[in-house]
């Protein structure tokens, strides 16, 4: 029997989803993951809670879902960026791909996203 | 060549018996009846034309039958098809559905057409005029898109999402169970994300998680027939959309589950479905029958073992 083609899933390295978002004009689909400290910090908003926080922003290209007209699904991986450290002293790292902006802009961008409502 | 008399007689007897059998069958023929049209769908003329031509014979109370459709055993098959079709949705009683249900059914219909599942190939073979052209399909696609416009910067939703975020931090999640026995799984946030999706039909954004069994099967390319115990949890948010193209999660719409239990859910190829609505996680469906409704729509993705959102295969990435 034919083997199905390979399918990739991004391994966030034990981090949990904080939020996801997309831009239909840029055709991107993104997920922000974080460790427990990052999760806590996004909810409390207190700078003192940021100690040891690690965020990872993963951006995929938007693709059509051939099984459902009306749905987009994540396509090729475009970039992975992470920030870690404490409030006011973040360490930025481009882990995959290229992002055309200064690290300061990217740190502010990653931190600007509110957490999603998880039950 | 002449057949011996005895053999001739036997053949005549068989033919006669067959004719008697066919005639007797006619007493049990079940011609399709057309109940009154009580709440017909309202749509632009171009759309109605397509629906009437390609769908109405089964999905309405205006079924047109040919003489041969009235002869058993064909009449039995036609009767069964029409009965099933009307039970799924009926354009003659359409306005009894809620606007949200109507919208959902129309997108499902368009996707059934796009994946070649509807109109039934056996039906278009006998009635070639019911085949849909690419122009017909474009009209249907535009129609459903027009029914589902985005509402940009919905301040009510933005406010409600902020409130929900506070509420979920204060409460502990219960363990609701759907009517078919599929229970909520609080642990899913530690699972692997298999894909993310967003939809412009119902304006939602989603994260799709898979358990270890499922993830191992995907890694091993065993996606044609996912193993027993494979489980998917999909978290769905109503989206907040902006004119610049931004789509972000707003209020929690639902948490949806698919889990494979081949014995328990043999009628739906092993899949048990569940949907828990809102932050209260209220189970959808009062009886186990809702599982069939879920499965019927998931048939569109039969090539992916009924899962819509498996990660895309590498050869389809652009």
């Amino acid at each position: 029997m034919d083997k199905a083609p390979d399918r990739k899933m991004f391994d966030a390295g034990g981090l949990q989803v904080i939020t996801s978002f997309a831009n239909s004009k840029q055709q991107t689909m993104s997920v922000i993951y974080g460790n427990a400290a990052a999760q806590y910090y996004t909810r409390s908003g207190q700078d003192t809670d940021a100690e040891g926080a690690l965020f990872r922003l993963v951006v995929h290209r938007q693709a059509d879902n051939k099984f459902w007209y009306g749905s987009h699904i994540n396509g090729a991986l475009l970039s992975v960026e992470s920030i870690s450290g404490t409030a006011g002293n973040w360490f930025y790292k481009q882990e995959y791909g290229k992002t055309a902006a200064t690290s300061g802009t990217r740190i502010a961008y990653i931190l600007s996203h509110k957490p999603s409502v998880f039950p | 060549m002449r057949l011996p008399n005895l053999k001739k007689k036997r053949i005549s007897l068989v033919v006669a018996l067959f004719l008697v059998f066919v005639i007797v069958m006619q007493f049990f023929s079940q011609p399709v009846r057309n109940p009154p049209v009580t709440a017909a769908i309202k749509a632009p003329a171009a759309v109605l034309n397509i629906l009437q031509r390609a769908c109405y014979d089964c999905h309405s109370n205006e079924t047109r039958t040919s003489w041969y459709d009235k002869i058993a055993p064909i009449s039995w098959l036609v009767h069964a098809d029409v009965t099933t079709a009307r039970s799924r949705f009926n354009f003659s009683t359409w306005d009894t559905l809620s606007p949200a249900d109507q919208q959902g059914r129309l997108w499902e219909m368009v996707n059934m057409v796009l994946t070649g599942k509807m109109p039934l190939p056996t039906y278009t073979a006998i009635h070639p005029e019911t085949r849909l052209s690419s122009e017909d399909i474009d009209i249907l696609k535009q129609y459903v898109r027009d029914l589902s416009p985005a509402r940009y910067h919905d301040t009510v939703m933005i406010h409600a999402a902020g409130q929900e975020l506070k509420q979920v931090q204060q409460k502990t999640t219960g363990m609701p169970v759907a009517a078919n026995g599929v229970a909520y799984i609080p642990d899913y946030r530690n699972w692997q994300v298999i894909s993310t999706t967003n939809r412009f039909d119902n304006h939602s954004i989603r994260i799709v998680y898979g358990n270890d069994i499922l993830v191992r099967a995907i890694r091993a390319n065993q996606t044609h027939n996912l193993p027993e115990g494979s489980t998917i949890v999909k978290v769905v948010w109503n989206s907040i959309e902006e004119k610049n193209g931004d789509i972000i999660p707003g209020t929690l719409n639902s948490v949806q589950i698919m889990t494979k239990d081949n014995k328990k859910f043999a009628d739906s190829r092993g899949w048990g479905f569940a949907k828990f609505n809102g932050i209260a996680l209220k189970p959808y469906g009062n009886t186990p029958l809702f599982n069939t409704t879920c499965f019927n729509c998931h048939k569109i993705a039969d090539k992916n073992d009924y899962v819509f959102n498996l990660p895309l295969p590498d050869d389809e990435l652009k």
Side-chain angles (χ1 to χ4, degrees):
Chain A
M1 194 181 137
D2 285 347
K3 259 208 153 188
D6 281 338
R7 298 165 192 262
K8 286 192 185 63
M9 294 166 283
F10 180 77
D11 181 355
L15 306 182
Q16 286 191 351
V17 175
I18 292 177
T19 190
S20 62
F21 50 96
N23 188 290
S24 56
K25 291 199 175 148
Q26 292 163 15
Q27 305 210 335
T28 54
M29 297 174 66
S30 308
V31 179
I32 296 178
Y33 295 89
N35 63 3
Q39 300 276 350
Y40 190 70
Y41 171 55
T42 54
R43 281 170 167 75
S44 79
Q46 301 294 319
D47 281 355
T48 48
D49 291 332
E51 182 77 40
L54 168 64
F55 292 86
R56 187 165 277 136
L57 167 63
V58 182
V59 184
H60 284 89
R61 182 171 284 130
Q62 167 191 300
D64 290 334
N65 187 333
K66 68 177 175 186
F67 294 110
W68 191 264
Y69 172 70
S71 181
H72 296 129
I73 186 165
N74 60 305
L77 181 65
L78 294 176
S79 65
V80 182
E81 300 156 88
S82 70
I83 62 172
S84 55
T86 56
N89 190 23
W90 294 107
F91 173 70
Y92 172 85
K93 190 176 172 194
Q94 180 101 43
E95 298 182 340
Y96 180 81
K98 275 189 183 147
T99 311
T102 64
S103 56
T105 311
R106 297 306 289 169
I107 291 166
Y109 175 74
I110 292 168
L111 293 176
S112 71
H113 291 275
K114 285 186 190 150
S116 297
V117 178
F118 279 96
Chain B
M1 197 180 88
R2 285 181 61 126
L3 290 167
N5 272 347
L6 190 65
K7 206 165 188 182
K8 259 190 190 169
K9 273 185 187 166
R10 268 191 200 154
I11 291 173
S12 306
L13 187 65
V14 168
V15 170
L17 276 174
F18 177 74
L19 283 176
V20 169
F21 181 64
V22 169
I23 290 164
V24 170
M25 269 203 278
Q26 302 319 308
F27 290 100
F28 301 95
S29 178
Q30 285 188 304
V32 172
R33 292 184 211 292
N34 280 328
V37 177
T38 51
I41 183 171
K42 296 178 191 80
V47 174
L48 276 183
N49 274 337
I50 297 168
L51 301 181
Q52 283 163 354
R53 195 178 85 230
C55 318
Y56 265 48
D57 274 350
C58 295
H59 289 283
S60 85
N61 295 345
E62 297 179 60
T63 305
R64 298 161 299 180
T65 47
S66 307
W67 61 269
Y68 50 81
D69 293 324
K70 298 183 179 79
I71 297 172
I74 298 170
S75 66
W76 299 341
L77 300 173
V78 172
H79 189 273
D81 274 355
V82 172
T83 305
T84 308
R86 285 176 180 168
S87 76
R88 301 269 168 87
F89 66 87
N90 184 334
F91 284 124
S92 299
T93 56
W94 185 255
D95 261 0
T96 57
L97 295 175
S98 72
D101 280 348
Q102 292 181 8
Q103 200 169 316
R105 290 293 158 97
L106 285 166
W107 280 90
E108 185 180 336
M109 179 189 82
V110 168
N111 277 291
M112 284 283 184
V113 168
L114 286 169
T115 48
K117 299 208 160 28
M118 281 287 159
L120 287 177
T122 46
Y123 170 71
T124 54
I126 302 168
H127 305 277
E129 73 282 3
T130 63
R131 284 208 181 96
L132 296 179
S133 67
S134 57
E135 288 82 15
D136 293 333
I137 291 173
D138 284 345
I139 289 170
L140 294 177
K141 281 163 87 175
Q142 191 56 49
Y143 173 58
V144 288
R145 288 199 78 145
D146 290 345
L147 285 178
S148 312
R151 288 175 57 185
Y152 295 121
H153 200 76
D154 184 342
T155 50
V156 174
M157 166 91 76
I158 293 167
H159 178 74
Q163 291 297 111
E164 281 193 358
L165 196 56
K166 283 182 200 155
Q167 286 172 35
V168 291
Q169 287 174 65
Q170 287 158 9
K171 80 174 204 12
T172 51
T173 304
M175 270 294 287
V177 181
N180 60 355
V182 175
Y184 180 69
I185 304 164
D187 189 40
Y188 70 88
R189 286 192 73 188
N190 296 319
W191 293 5
Q192 170 73 44
V193 172
I194 65 163
S195 64
T196 63
T197 71
N198 63 71
R199 281 173 56 174
F200 53 88
D201 55 345
N202 57 19
H203 299 279
S204 59
I205 179 164
R206 295 113 182 278
I207 302 267
V208 188
Y209 294 87
N211 70 350
D212 283 345
I213 299 171
L214 178 82
V215 168
R216 272 202 301 273
I218 294 173
R219 292 213 170 103
N221 304 326
Q222 289 164 353
T223 49
H224 292 311
N225 186 11
L226 293 162
E228 179 86 1
S230 294
T231 303
I232 296 166
V233 172
K234 182 169 71 182
V235 189
V236 182
W237 294 270
N238 303 307
S239 54
I240 297 168
E241 300 182 26
E242 304 292 347
K243 274 191 181 150
N244 68 1
D246 277 344
I247 300 168
I248 66 167
T251 49
L252 182 76
N253 175 292
S254 54
V255 177
Q256 302 177 17
I257 295 177
M258 273 178 88
T259 188
K260 204 166 210 189
D261 182 333
N262 283 305
K263 209 170 159 192
K264 193 169 176 189
F265 299 109
D267 293 345
S268 48
R269 299 290 176 110
W271 287 111
F273 297 84
K275 183 178 172 193
F276 301 99
N277 286 324
I279 56 172
L281 299 173
K282 187 174 184 291
Y284 164 82
N286 295 324
T287 72
L289 285 175
F290 83 88
N291 205 70
T292 309
T293 312
C294 299
F295 180 63
N296 282 339
C297 189
H298 275 259
K299 284 177 184 167
I300 290 171
D302 55 356
K303 289 194 176 65
N304 267 6
D305 198 5
Y306 307 92
V307 179
F308 280 106
N309 300 314
L310 286 181
L312 287 185
D314 286 356
D315 58 3
E316 288 178 30
L317 295 179
K318 287 170 199 149

